Amino acid sequence: MPIDQYISMETTRIDYKEMLETKKAKNWLKSVSAFANTDTGYLVFGVRDTTDHAKVGLTDCQAVGEKITELIKERIQPSPDYDIQYENEDGKDFIILTVRKGISTPYYYAHEGTRSAFVRKGNQSVVAPPHDLNELILNGRGLTYDALPSSFSLSDVSFTLLEATYNNTNKEDESFDKSRDLISFGLAKPDGVVTNAGALLCDQGILGHSRVFCTRWKGNIKGSVDIDAIDDKEYSGSLISLLDNAVTFVKKQFSKTMGCERAAAR
């Protein structure tokens, strides 16, 4: 693929390097970690990381490619899925390093006693914050947060709202069967332990962080709730009730806005 087509890609998926840095290899290896952890991305060597993305080329492309392989092998753990492509345009040599999103997350940059996992945020590769790192660890083990067992059992909770919602929206299908569907939907384990997904969807709203904050501000700029908020609500409970309450809040605020506009137009 022509170099210009890489240059036109979204910046979230590509980094440019005028040359291969070996003494400060972390400057580009952190992007290798981030792409492997977040989404497939590309590093283009031989293109200046400036607004004009000047194509300056590389000298001794073969040696550069071998050094890239060596540094990835030494400092990225576990080894990511990548390939190196050599390109020549207008008498200049370039390297395209493609790093694919991996399944053995997290992929760490490890060197001289440091060990950090990076993720892609916009056009930057940043150290994974704790919640992202936890998710990467779970994904690497073939797990998800929703599927993990909670500290609650089926005797602690009920699912009447979920059952009613399911039956109302699936009138032509079989009715909700708790003995069958709670397990098949991943809301409970066969031993009766409720999963995190089940804890989020049960009637009791037992997970403290399962909340929604709704605020209507004066104007279009977020400010202080005490001074600049026209109305604000905090909701907790089942994900179903959170969704219903949030939608109701938005509709209520919208109807108030439309009422004011109609009054002003008279």
Side-chain angles (χ1 to χ4, degrees):
M1 186 166 70
I3 298 298
D4 286 339
Q5 290 190 30
Y6 286 100
I7 292 175
S8 64
M9 284 184 176
E10 295 180 8
T11 56
T12 56
R13 298 188 59 205
I14 194 162
D15 274 349
Y16 309 98
K17 300 297 176 183
E18 183 174 348
M19 63 185 70
L20 177 66
E21 296 176 275
T22 55
K23 292 184 178 180
K24 296 182 178 180
K26 185 178 179 180
N27 289 341
W28 60 272
L29 283 171
K30 65 182 181 180
S31 291
V32 174
S33 166
F35 289 138
N37 284 324
T38 311
D39 196 7
T40 297
Y42 307 88
L43 289 93
V44 182
F45 293 89
V47 175
R48 190 170 292 150
D49 188 18
T50 53
T51 304
D52 62 352
H53 297 312
K55 294 183 285 186
V56 297
L58 299 168
T59 57
D60 199 350
C61 234
Q62 188 65 40
V64 172
E66 291 173 359
K67 192 64 178 178
I68 289 172
T69 298
E70 176 187 330
L71 289 169
I72 291 176
K73 182 178 179 180
E74 288 179 354
R75 303 188 190 182
I76 301 296
Q77 301 173 353
S79 180
D81 180 13
Y82 70 94
D83 60 50
I84 295 174
Q85 179 181 348
Y86 299 92
E87 296 286 346
N88 182 279
E89 287 188 14
D90 301 324
K92 297 178 180 178
D93 293 322
F94 305 89
I95 286 180
I96 312 297
L97 173 61
T98 303
V99 183
R100 298 179 183 84
K101 177 177 171 57
I103 59 173
S104 300
T105 56
Y107 292 86
Y108 291 95
Y109 169 82
H111 183 58
E112 295 181 342
T114 66
R115 193 167 184 262
S116 301
F118 290 82
V119 292
R120 199 71 173 174
K121 300 290 185 182
N123 64 349
Q124 296 184 333
S125 298
V126 301
V127 174
H131 64 279
D132 282 348
L133 182 59
N134 289 337
E135 185 175 348
L136 288 170
I137 293 171
L138 288 175
N139 290 341
R141 296 175 180 173
L143 302 172
T144 64
Y145 170 80
D146 291 350
L148 293 177
S150 73
S151 57
F152 303 94
S153 65
L154 286 174
S155 61
D156 300 319
V157 299
S158 59
F159 293 91
T160 55
L161 181 56
L162 173 64
E163 183 178 357
T165 303
Y166 180 89
N167 291 338
N168 186 53
T169 55
N170 295 272
K171 295 179 179 180
E172 297 181 0
D173 297 331
E174 294 183 11
S175 297
F176 189 84
D177 183 343
K178 286 186 285 188
S179 63
R180 175 196 65 207
D181 293 333
L182 288 178
I183 295 175
S184 65
F185 291 173
L187 306 181
K189 300 292 187 181
D191 61 0
V193 174
V194 177
T195 63
N196 286 331
L200 287 168
L201 284 166
C202 71
D203 300 326
Q204 286 71 24
I206 50 182
L207 294 184
H209 58 270
S210 179
R211 294 180 292 170
V212 168
F213 299 88
C214 299
T215 305
R216 180 187 174 193
W217 304 101
K218 297 176 183 177
N220 298 322
I221 300 175
K222 179 180 178 181
S224 166
V225 172
D226 295 331
I227 299 174
D228 301 312
I230 297 174
D231 193 5
D232 71 287
K233 299 289 183 183
E234 176 185 342
Y235 302 105
S236 60
S238 165
L239 287 182
I240 298 172
S241 64
L242 291 182
L243 177 60
D244 288 343
N245 287 327
V247 170
T248 299
F249 181 90
V250 172
K251 288 181 176 178
K252 176 183 176 182
Q253 303 306 321
F254 183 74
S255 64
K256 286 182 178 180
T257 302
M258 293 302 295
C260 290
E261 290 180 353
R262 285 194 295 268
R266 291 191 181 116

